């Protein structure tokens, strides 16, 4: 660090001590995420921008020169003219207008070398901002394979910025890129990047930029000798009105079957592991409160959540693969009309599909929808999509109450019920969206304009890294929120202890018992016992907590711990009608405080989370009520 | 540069009337002749749809071809736009006026 102000460019030594700040800008699908990973490796920090919930990804690297470089990944965009909150962040960060953000010293514009037209216009826009820029000509491997000839010197001269060919997924060209960034920073040092004179371009100006981009493209790039023909051929099938839809349904169905049956062996292994651990620890500890806390509270609680990690990883494997292959945009194309019919934007498919994993990233992904109303509708229905936190609850109840039978020769009945629950969430989300549009607003929807990227063979390392990252995020939640909830539940259901000479299980006398008994009258008409009511309270923290809660409630109540026992324990205590009502409840209930919190942050008002809580609770109660009474009438008592 | 063939034969110089991309069927192709701001209904600021289309590459002189249609009501459409592929709804494509390629007998390109 320097103790003098570095006012003159001559004091390069002082400037070098300060970390260099770099921002990544680029079109969607240009490989920006891969580039960010290539640059920063695992030294990444994911947070949110102050005041808004756009994900802020920052990472660090040390350049060959020894200088620290801080890389900021910005949301993908086609233009600096911001139309969604994401793009506002990109624009303001580049312009240095973002409160609490140091403006970047250098902007790296990530370009897909095989698809330069639009990014050249973006690069021209960036150049007009006046900050030093470097163009990363990414996917240069694909360009070479296609025999695409790019005159990088010419490109560099025309754009008056350095151009570096890169393969982000293989880290090729990354060192050169960093060196160019440093050179640009050194050149600009002392020039004093003042406030930028950028303003929104008019339609005429965009046309002019287009012409300029077109001219540069003609001058510097010769069309590929072996253009990609796969994309056209695959689209012929995958976007076919009949075949394409069937394939889409098959892909989705395969995903659910894989999640449900594919993860089984690993899950059994994890269950056995935690049982063993509980046993070993139980032998080491003396009887009493501590042993109970560790075995029944901590180990059983964490175990019953960790066990679902395989399913979550498989689900994310599918989502990330579909995204990286380029199929996600096709699915959005195929589903646009259905989504549009429900008053949703075609792009809403992506947040909603993410909501299958978790409503929180899903709700955050609604920022890709420009129009506020379309966004709010999507946010309101996103928690109806079956998130992975419901999987533990569904799995538990289904395996305890639905016989393991095969129907129509190949399909497992359990898998079918599971699929039915997913479908119920999806259909109700579409219905609610339709109603929201009718009640809250009637207006024109946002335009639906989406680039369909070329198909790519996904990079296994890239996929593995992203899947692991998701798993890690889930585990962190499991490790923090859920563990503390487990201990709280253990506490609630153990304290105060059973008075001497009292009859019945100890939990009857605990705090949890009291709460459960208190809300039981409200839930009795839908067939919920007080134990079920107890499970709903901690289930507010996160849906999967309900499983741990049931485990704690029932293991404290009698038969001893263990995930395996829980199912049969439930089967003994609940009627089939109650179990089905519980499932129906979980399709709709807003059993997730984090979701409500994120909605509050995204919409910046308590109005929407309150509306969400009210309508979801009402739906859950109605669905459970109907399910319970229909099941009773059919003899499921 | 004008080639000899461009100059004379009347069947080549007779221009096809402009057609909106929104009305094209699968296989429809041509060159964008004009881009108008024609939002389907209110909700968007004036000129907004035009600028979005421009930013996506729908600009005068660009080649378009409808590659695919949605399975319900042939909507949305997937178009080849120069060398990229873009999906959009027909109602948003209303303002994209295309000079259709002359339909010529013989092998398609
Ligand atoms: N062959 C090749 N594939 C790449 C390269 N960079 C990214 N990809 C792939 O392109 C796809 C999109 O990349 P991603 O980083 O998610 O793009 P983003 O949307 O800009 O963040 C992924 O499947 C990547 O594995 C590259 O340089 N070469």
């Amino acid at each position: 660090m320097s103790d003098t102000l570095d006012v003159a460019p001559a004091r390069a030594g002082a400037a070098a001590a300060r970390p260099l700040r770099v921002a990544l800008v680029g079109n969607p699908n240009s490989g920006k995420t891969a580039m960010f990973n290539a640059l920063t490796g695992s030294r990444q920090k994911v947070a949110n921008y102050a005041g808004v919930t756009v994900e802020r990804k920052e990472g660090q690297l040390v350049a060959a020169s020894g200088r620290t470089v801080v890389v900021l990944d910005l949301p993908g965009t086609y233009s600096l003219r911001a139309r969604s909150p994401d793009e506002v962040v990109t624009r303001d960060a580049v312009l240095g207008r973002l409160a609490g953000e140091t403006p970047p010293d250098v902007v790296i514009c990530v370009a897909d070398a095989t698809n330069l037209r639009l990014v050249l216009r973006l690069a021209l826009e960036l150049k007009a901002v006046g900050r030093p820029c470097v163009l990363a000509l990414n996917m240069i491997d694909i360009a070479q394979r296609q025999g695409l000839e790019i005159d990088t010197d010419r490109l560099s001269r025309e754009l008056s910025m350095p151009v570096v060919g890169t393969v982000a997924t293989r880290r090729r060209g990354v060192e050169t890129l960093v060196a160019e960034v440093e050179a640009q920073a050194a050149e600009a040092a002392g020039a004093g990047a003042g406030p930028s004179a950028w303003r929104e371009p008019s339609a005429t100006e965009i046309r002019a930029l287009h012409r300029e981009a077109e001219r540069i493209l003609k001058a510097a790039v010769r069309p590929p000798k072996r253009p990609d023909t796969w994309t056209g051929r695959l689209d012929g099938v995958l976007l076919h009105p009949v075949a394409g839809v069937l394939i889409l349904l098959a892909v989705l169905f395969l995903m659910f079957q894989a999640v449900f049956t594919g993860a089984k062996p690993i899950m059994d292994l994890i269950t056995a592991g935690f049982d063993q651990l509980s046993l070993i620890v139980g032998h080491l500890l003396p009887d009493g409160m501590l042993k109970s806390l560790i075995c029944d509270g901590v180990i059983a609680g964490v175990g019953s959540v960790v066990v679902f990690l395989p399913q979550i990883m498989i689900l994310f494997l599918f989502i990330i693969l579909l995204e990286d292959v380029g199929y996600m945009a096709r699915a959005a194309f195929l589903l646009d009309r259905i989504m549009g019919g429900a008053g949703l934007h075609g792009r809403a498919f992506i947040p909603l599909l993410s909501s299958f994993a978790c409503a929180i990233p899903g709700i955050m992904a609604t920022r890709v929808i420009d129009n506020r109303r379309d966004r709010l509708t999507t946010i309101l229905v996103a928690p109806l999509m079956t998130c992975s936190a419901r999987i533990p609850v569904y799995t538990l109840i289904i395996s305890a109450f639905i016989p393991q039978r095969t129907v129509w020769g190949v399909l497992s009945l359990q898998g079918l019920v599971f699929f039915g629950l997913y479908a119920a969430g999806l259909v109700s989300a579409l219905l609610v969206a339709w109603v929201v549009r009718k009640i809250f607003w009637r207006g024109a929807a946002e335009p639906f304009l989406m680039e369909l990227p070329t198909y790519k063979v996904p990079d296994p390392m890239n996929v593995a890294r992203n899947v692991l990252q998701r798993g890690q995020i889930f585990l962190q939640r499991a490790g923090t929120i859920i563990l503390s909830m487990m201990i709280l539940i253990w506490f609630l259901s153990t304290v105060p202890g059973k008075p001497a000479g009292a009859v019945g299980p100890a939990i009857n006398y605990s705090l949890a018992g009291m709460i459960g008994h208190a809300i039981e009258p409200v839930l009795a008409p839908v067939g919920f016992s007080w134990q079920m009511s107890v499970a709903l309270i901690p289930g507010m923290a996160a849906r999967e907590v309900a499983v741990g809660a049931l485990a704690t409630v029932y293991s404290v109540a009698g038969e001893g711990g263990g995930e395996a026992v829980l199912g049969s324990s439930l089967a003994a205590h609940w009627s089939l009608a109650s179990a089905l009502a519980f499932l129906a409840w979980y399709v709709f209930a807003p059993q997730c405080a984090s979701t409500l919190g994120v909605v509050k942050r995204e919409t910046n008002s308590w109005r929407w989370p309150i509306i969400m809580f009210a309508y979801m609770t009402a739906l859950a109660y109605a669905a459970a009520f109907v399910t319970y009474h229909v099941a009773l009438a059919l003899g499921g008592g | 540069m004008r080639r000899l063939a461009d100059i004379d034969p009347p069947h080549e110089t007779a221009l096809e009337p402009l057609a909106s991309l929104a009305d094209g069927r699968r296989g429809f192709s041509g060159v964008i002749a004009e881009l108008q701001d024609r939002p389907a209904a209110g909700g968007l600021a004036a000129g907004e749809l035009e600028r979005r289309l421009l930013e996506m590459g729908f600009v005068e002189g660009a080649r378009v071809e409808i590659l695919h249609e949605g399975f319900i009501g042939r909507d949305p459409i997937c178009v080849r736009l120069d060398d990229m592929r873009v999906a959009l709804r027909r109602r948003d494509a209303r303002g994209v006026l295309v000079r259709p390629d002359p339909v010529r007998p013989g092998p398609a390109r």
Side-chain angles (χ1 to χ4, degrees):
Chain A
M1 281 287 172
S2 158
D3 54 354
T4 51
L5 288 170
D6 53 313
V7 280
R11 297 198 58 89
R18 187 177 64 85
L20 191 61
R21 303 197 61 91
V22 174
L24 287 181
V25 181
N27 292 165
N29 309 307
S30 56
K32 216 163 48 58
T33 310
M35 181 62 78
F36 180 68
N37 288 337
L39 282 168
T40 62
S42 53
R43 292 167 303 262
Q44 301 182 359
K45 242 186 2 214
V46 180
N48 283 324
Y49 286 98
V52 291
T53 33
V54 176
E55 203 169 74
R56 180 185 187 280
K57 282 170 77 184
E58 193 185 85
Q60 285 202 357
L61 70 131
V62 179
S65 67
R67 186 161 185 193
T68 304
V69 181
V70 177
V71 185
L72 186 64
D73 189 18
L74 294 173
T77 183
Y78 288 101
S79 125
L80 280 184
R81 208 174 60 79
R83 302 159 319 187
S84 66
D86 266 4
E87 291 174 350
V88 170
V89 166
T90 304
R91 182 196 67 197
D92 290 353
V94 170
L95 298 181
R97 289 183 189 163
L98 210 57
E101 284 289 333
T102 324
D105 299 307
V106 180
V107 174
I108 298 181
C109 180
V110 183
D112 173 353
T114 64
N115 187 11
L116 281 173
R117 201 176 302 266
L118 297 187
V119 76
L120 286 183
R121 207 202 65 244
L122 179 64
L124 290 171
E125 260 190 70
L126 285 172
K127 204 178 73 175
V129 169
R131 237 171 261 296
C133 276
V134 177
L135 188 78
L137 209 52
N138 194 36
M139 312 216 189
I140 203 79
D141 55 331
I142 302 179
Q144 281 162 354
R145 210 179 312 137
Q146 293 181 359
L148 188 71
E149 273 177 46
I150 303 176
D151 181 346
T152 48
D153 291 338
R154 181 73 193 263
L155 202 56
S156 170
R157 240 181 304 130
E158 294 283 358
L159 293 170
S160 57
M161 59 176 81
V163 175
V164 182
T166 61
V167 182
T169 43
R170 299 270 135 79
R171 298 200 76 249
R172 253 171 57 197
V174 169
E175 270 84 38
T176 323
L177 182 66
V178 174
E180 285 292 355
V181 165
E182 281 193 285
Q184 283 289 300
E187 209 170 287
S196 157
W198 185 88
R199 58 182 178 77
E200 278 204 359
S202 66
T204 320
E205 286 162 326
I206 302 175
R207 283 190 172 87
L209 283 176
H210 253 304
R211 274 194 297 277
E212 175 69 359
E214 193 68 42
R215 186 187 64 74
I216 297 176
L217 194 69
K218 284 237 167 65
V221 182
R222 260 198 277 141
K225 293 198 197 75
R226 295 172 296 279
D228 158 52
T229 54
W230 276 105
T231 298
R233 276 190 266 175
L234 281 172
D235 272 348
V237 180
L238 295 178
L239 295 183
H240 188 273
V242 180
V245 175
L246 290 178
I247 291 171
L248 175 65
L249 290 178
V251 166
L252 292 179
F253 192 73
L254 183 75
M255 184 158 105
F256 300 127
Q257 288 280 326
V259 166
F260 204 72
T261 52
K264 194 91 177 64
I266 318 166
M267 289 168 65
D268 290 346
L269 216 68
I270 293 176
T271 311
F274 272 93
D275 286 351
Q276 205 58 39
L277 186 67
S278 185
L279 229 83
I280 295 169
V281 174
H283 282 307
L284 295 177
L285 291 171
D287 277 348
M289 237 10 182
L290 184 68
K291 175 174 167 177
S292 170
L293 166 67
I294 300 214
C295 295
D296 299 332
V298 180
I299 298 180
V302 171
S304 61
V305 173
V306 169
V307 74
F308 297 104
L309 193 61
Q311 292 183 322
I312 286 153
M313 304 272 277
I314 290 179
L315 187 64
F316 270 110
L317 178 67
F318 270 89
I319 290 180
I320 289 164
L321 268 179
L322 293 183
E323 200 128 41
D324 274 11
V325 164
Y327 185 70
M328 203 64 111
R330 270 76 185 180
F333 172 82
L334 288 172
L335 290 168
D336 176 68
R337 195 56 196 253
I338 298 176
M339 304 296 249
L344 287 168
H345 190 275
R347 277 204 191 181
F349 169 78
I350 293 164
L352 290 184
L353 192 74
S354 311
S355 298
F356 274 123
C358 176
I360 290 158
I363 286 169
M364 292 175 71
T366 59
R367 284 183 171 265
V368 301
I369 303 165
D370 308 341
N371 185 282
R372 188 175 151 272
R373 291 171 170 186
D374 284 345
R375 240 188 96 209
L376 280 172
T377 316
T378 313
I379 287 176
L380 277 182
V381 303
L384 288 174
M385 310 306 278
T386 306
C387 68
S388 58
R390 285 180 179 96
I391 298 177
V393 181
Y394 289 176
T395 314
L396 177 72
I397 310 292
I398 288 176
S399 44
F401 289 90
I402 308 295
Q404 198 152 27
R405 249 195 289 138
T406 303
V407 285
W408 302 323
V410 282
L411 302 174
S412 97
L413 182 62
Q414 294 187 341
L416 217 56
V417 171
F418 199 68
F419 185 69
L421 291 168
Y422 267 89
L426 183 72
V427 169
S428 58
L430 296 182
L431 283 176
V432 170
W434 187 81
V435 172
V436 166
R437 258 211 115 69
K438 287 275 169 249
I439 292 183
F440 287 101
W441 38 71
R442 289 158 226 180
E446 275 293 282
F448 170 73
L449 271 174
M450 183 179 60
E451 188 181 349
L452 300 179
T454 51
Y455 289 103
K456 281 188 193 65
V457 179
D459 184 68
M461 285 306 293
N462 203 39
V463 173
R465 162 184 230 126
N466 287 324
V467 172
L468 284 176
Q469 203 170 32
R470 293 293 152 189
Q472 195 187 340
I473 290 169
F474 177 79
L475 269 192
Q476 273 163 3
R477 277 191 59 185
T480 54
I481 306 178
I482 300 174
L483 180 61
S484 43
M485 288 312 295
M486 285 303 114
I487 293 169
L488 180 66
I489 296 164
W490 170 85
F491 177 81
L492 286 177
S493 46
T494 319
V495 178
K498 185 170 160 180
V503 290
I507 193 163
N508 259 341
Y509 305 94
S510 70
L511 292 168
M514 294 172 203
I515 302 170
H517 284 298
I519 61 167
E520 189 195 353
V522 185
L523 292 171
V526 302
F528 285 14
S529 65
W530 64 267
Q531 288 98 332
M532 293 160 87
S533 312
V534 169
L536 294 185
I537 302 158
M540 270 310 293
R543 290 181 177 86
E544 64 267 34
V545 171
V547 172
L550 286 171
T552 307
V553 166
Y554 282 97
S555 83
V556 175
E559 293 95 314
E563 180 73 28
V565 184
L566 181 59
S568 46
S569 177
L570 292 185
H573 285 88
W574 297 6
S575 68
L576 178 61
S578 290
L580 293 178
F582 195 71
L583 283 179
W585 172 273
Y586 260 88
V587 170
F588 299 103
Q591 294 277 45
C592 181
S594 330
T595 302
L596 296 171
V598 142
V599 172
K600 154 79 175 70
R601 283 178 77 178
E602 287 291 312
T603 59
N604 220 358
S605 100
W606 279 110
R607 183 170 169 219
W608 297 104
I610 289 170
I611 290 175
M612 176 184 277
F613 185 83
Y615 99 80
M616 289 181 77
T617 308
L619 275 184
Y621 196 86
F625 186 87
V626 169
T627 307
Y628 182 61
H629 288 277
V630 167
L632 274 188
L634 296 176
Chain B
M1 187 178 73
R2 303 183 76 185
R3 280 174 293 125
L4 212 62
D6 288 343
I7 301 170
D8 234 350
H11 69 275
E12 291 244 348
T13 46
L15 290 174
E16 301 272 332
L18 294 190
S20 169
L21 182 64
D23 300 323
R25 295 289 296 273
R26 195 171 165 212
F28 172 84
S29 70
V31 173
I32 299 181
E34 196 182 336
L35 190 68
Q36 298 179 343
D37 187 44
R38 278 206 219 165
L44 279 187
E48 181 61 28
L49 181 60
E50 181 187 2
R51 286 199 278 183
R52 298 225 193 150
L53 286 166
L54 278 171
E55 281 163 359
M56 239 332 162
F58 287 91
V59 63
E60 286 83 357
R63 278 206 61 79
V64 282
E65 178 186 349
I66 299 183
L67 296 174
H68 302 280
E69 297 169 322
F71 63 103
I72 304 171
R74 305 183 175 280
D75 194 31
I77 50 177
C78 165
V79 301
R80 188 206 309 280
L81 178 62
D82 285 325
D83 38 19
M84 45 186 281
R85 277 150 223 275
V86 177
L88 77 167
R89 290 187 190 147
R90 286 186 185 272
R91 64 159 191 245
D92 299 325
R94 198 66 25 236
V96 182
L97 300 185
V98 178
R99 175 90 55 209
D101 291 336
V103 222
R104 256 177 265 176
R109 53 166 213 110

